[in-house]
Amino acid sequence: MKKLAIISTLVLGLATTACDSYLDINRNPNSPAEENMTTDIVFPAAEMNLCSSYGDFYRIAGGYHAQYYAHAFGTSNYVDYSQFNMSATRSSSSYTQLNQRGLKNLKTVCELAEQNEEWGSFLAAKTLRAVIYQSLVDAYGEIPYTEALDASNATPKYDDGQTIYAGVIAELDEALSKAGTNDKVATNFLLPGKNSGAWIQLANAVKLRLLMRESGVVDVNAQLDALVAENNFPTSDIAWEGCWSNESGALSPFFAEEFATNWGSTQINVVANVAIIGTLLQKDGDGNVVYQDGRLPAMFETNASGEYTGSISGTNFSTSDNYKSTYWCRPVASYDMPVYLVTVAETEFFLAEYYAKKGNAAQAKAHYDAAVQANFATYGVGGADAALAKFPYDQANYKKCIGVAKWIALAGINTFEAWCEARRLDYPAFGTVTGSQMYDDNSDSSYKPQLYQPGTFYTPIKVNDKLGANKLLERWNYPESSSSRNNQSPEFPGYATPVFWGK
């Protein structure tokens, strides 16, 4: 009898109240008989495995690594993240969630779908499988792939990231070749009620992300040319939304982790970073506002005094009497906040870069402008024209303008992807001001956010000593849940060693 790799009761509960009753946590779906398994049963579990990690752990870690988030007074939960560090232990549970649960569930969906010629469900499962492998490669660089998910092999070899990217792109191509535009797709929360046509668009967007991310080190020009010429990408944002409710076990993941008090906790960890606040709210030497981005209120709340304030990476201000948690801004969050997988803006930024590399400045600018406008639409605010005037497209410096604009755009949307893109494009670049210059961790009077240079990164007050100054964290240490049990785990190459597409 085949066993179903199923997510835990806690993750099942994420979507129970607002979604279909078959995910009722009072049912026991564990290890159903093979004849009772269907893609409709397994697929929702698989996508919630991805959603819960991608929308929580990856968002929090990415937010600190991309200097959207800093730490509040008196806690130390994520200070290591803000110091550009990630231990082998810290990411282990998320790795287990994605690998041992998500990928195993998706493998079961693929097997059932192929057996029953459910090509819409096959494509959907392959698409999410590609997203998981992309996320794991982008975080760790090397992970098991070609020998992974084999119950008879407890020590699968680690494949290099380029091999994995090529593999999942080939898997997407196979699935796209089999799926028609009107094939039925298994019950899901991401694109509920949509047929395979919508999943074809999503698969294309994921493929575009993969190809563009590796395009600096791998010749994928022919594949990109064909994909862009097809021009069949999502016309609206793709996110898990509309399936959350305001009760324990059914909250959107980031809100549940950092804002909900259902478990009795009122601790504040995540606050705004001076980098994103200082970029979106710029002042002159006299303290007068010269630019305020319309997206700022959609990304961050004001503090208790109605002001926008940003903390500094690398410390938690634990010595401060004045800069307590109520002084800092917090991310805008709600129990029903979407978990974005792909947005129109992200796709448009990639297309802008594609045309920029081709030397087609007019098309690059058109897609760049469309990306910024789409991002404002996602946030539901006005002010796109002002942002485009402040951060205009520049063909001569396309990496810089796209890198900074994309970093701004993803601040409240997808912080993990922002960290990846900053490592790939090398923008935002590091400015000349350091965290220690803005706050010396000893005196309240040393807090000088006005020194921050808009649109740049800065070295945290205390930084991972394996990195040093003016360097982003390039990768996470291999997760203990994998490396400690696998004698084929390679030696960690170091926090400053880029994953394959960043070399």
Side-chain angles (χ1 to χ4, degrees):
M1 181 176 69
K2 188 182 294 183
K3 299 290 185 179
L4 170 63
I6 198 72
I7 58 177
S8 67
T9 300
L10 175 61
V11 178
L12 276 171
L14 281 172
T16 55
T17 302
C19 302
D20 294 338
S21 60
Y22 63 81
L23 276 184
D24 187 341
I25 61 174
N26 292 318
R27 297 180 61 190
N28 179 16
N30 293 321
S31 302
E34 182 174 358
E35 63 271 17
N36 294 331
M37 285 198 300
T38 67
T39 55
D40 287 324
I41 291 175
V42 188
F43 193 82
E47 62 174 325
M48 282 296 118
N49 287 132
L50 169 58
C51 178
S52 62
S53 284
Y54 198 64
D56 181 8
F57 180 81
Y58 274 63
R59 181 184 179 116
I60 292 171
Y64 281 99
H65 300 336
Q67 291 195 330
Y68 296 137
Y69 303 154
H71 222 71
F73 169 84
T75 68
S76 59
N77 283 20
Y78 307 126
V79 171
D80 53 339
Y81 299 173
S82 76
Q83 295 171 353
F84 296 164
N85 202 354
M86 178 64 72
S87 72
T89 304
R90 293 283 262 168
S91 68
S92 283
S93 61
S94 177
Y95 179 84
T96 299
Q97 179 80 356
L98 291 173
N99 185 69
Q100 296 180 20
R101 294 175 187 149
L103 288 174
K104 284 186 178 179
N105 277 320
L106 289 171
K107 181 182 180 182
T108 301
V109 174
C110 290
E111 290 171 349
L112 289 170
E114 189 167 29
Q115 174 184 322
N116 298 316
E117 297 187 352
E118 299 175 27
W119 300 123
S121 300
F122 186 76
L123 172 63
K126 287 291 188 179
T127 301
L128 295 193
R129 176 178 158 89
V131 171
I132 291 179
Y133 271 116
Q134 170 240 308
S135 301
L136 293 173
V137 168
D138 295 352
Y140 299 105
E142 301 80 34
I143 57 168
Y145 171 66
T146 56
E147 295 182 1
L149 308 178
D150 180 355
S152 65
N153 185 359
T155 59
K157 72 174 183 178
Y158 279 57
D159 295 286
D160 64 271
Q162 185 173 330
T163 296
I164 299 169
Y165 260 51
V168 296
I169 290 170
E171 290 183 38
L172 283 176
D173 287 340
E174 178 198 10
L176 285 165
S177 71
K178 291 181 176 181
T181 57
N182 293 304
D183 292 340
K184 181 181 178 297
V185 177
T187 303
N188 65 89
F189 304 138
L190 188 61
L191 289 167
K194 299 291 183 67
N195 59 23
S196 55
W199 283 91
I200 289 171
Q201 292 181 328
L202 175 56
N204 285 339
V206 171
K207 184 178 175 181
L208 179 66
R209 179 192 286 171
L210 290 160
L211 291 172
M212 287 301 296
R213 196 153 284 170
E214 69 175 348
S215 62
V217 295
V218 181
D219 183 2
V220 291
N221 288 324
Q223 292 168 281
L224 277 170
D225 290 345
L227 185 61
V228 173
E230 183 183 348
N231 193 31
N232 187 22
F233 302 109
T235 56
S236 58
D237 297 337
I238 308 299
W240 284 280
E241 58 184 333
C243 60
W244 315 111
S245 64
N246 194 17
E247 58 184 84
S248 297
L251 305 165
S252 187
F254 178 60
F255 182 85
E257 182 74 29
E258 289 300 316
F259 293 84
T261 59
N262 303 66
W263 310 106
S265 174
T266 58
Q267 181 170 292
I268 294 175
N269 299 302
V270 178
V271 298
N273 197 300
V274 69
I276 189 63
I277 296 297
T279 299
L280 297 180
L281 182 62
Q282 298 183 22
K283 300 179 181 180
D284 62 20
D286 296 322
N288 301 309
V289 175
V290 295
Y291 175 73
Q292 180 169 335
D293 196 287
R295 292 166 289 189
L296 180 56
M299 296 178 184
F300 295 96
E301 305 282 355
T302 56
N303 68 6
S305 300
E307 300 176 335
Y308 287 105
T309 51
S311 186
I312 299 174
S313 294
T315 184
N316 64 2
F317 281 76
S318 59
T319 62
S320 173
D321 292 326
N322 295 324
Y323 302 124
K324 298 185 185 298
S325 58
T326 55
Y327 182 79
W328 309 112
C329 302
R330 299 209 72 197
V332 170
S334 63
Y335 73 86
D336 59 349
M337 64 188 296
V339 176
Y340 289 98
L341 186 61
V342 170
T343 64
V344 173
E346 181 190 15
T347 299
E348 290 291 339
F349 276 125
F350 279 130
L351 292 172
E353 183 185 350
Y354 167 84
Y355 283 108
K357 289 180 176 179
K358 296 283 188 182
N360 191 332
Q363 281 279 29
K365 181 182 184 302
H367 285 286
Y368 176 90
D369 291 356
V372 174
Q373 291 161 352
N375 188 241
F376 272 81
T378 295
Y379 286 113
V381 297
D385 290 343
L388 286 168
K390 185 66 177 178
F391 305 100
Y393 180 72
D394 179 4
Q395 175 67 16
N397 298 288
Y398 72 87
K399 280 191 176 182
K400 179 178 181 180
C401 70
I402 291 174
V404 172
K406 184 180 285 191
W407 174 70
I408 293 171
L410 290 170
I413 302 293
N414 196 321
T415 64
F416 177 79
E417 298 302 329
W419 174 51
C420 295
E421 287 298 280
R423 289 181 284 152
R424 182 180 71 89
L425 295 170
D426 295 323
Y427 288 101
F430 279 81
T432 58
V433 175
T434 67
S436 295
Q437 290 172 312
M438 290 185 281
Y439 183 71
D440 69 9
D441 212 10
N442 292 307
S443 168
D444 285 355
S445 63
S446 69
Y447 174 59
K448 298 176 181 178
Q450 67 272 18
L451 296 179
Y452 169 75
Q453 299 163 309
T456 67
F457 290 136
Y458 61 90
T459 301
I461 295 170
K462 297 176 183 177
V463 68
N464 185 336
D465 61 7
K466 301 299 190 297
L467 285 176
N470 297 334
K471 294 180 181 178
L472 283 180
L473 177 70
E474 292 288 349
R475 60 165 67 212
W476 296 346
N477 206 334
Y478 300 128
E480 186 179 50
S481 56
S482 173
S483 59
S484 65
R485 298 176 174 87
N486 189 344
N487 58 18
Q488 293 206 68
S489 173
E491 181 179 351
F492 180 53
Y495 293 109
T497 301
V499 301
F500 87 98
W501 46 251
K503 296 177 180 178

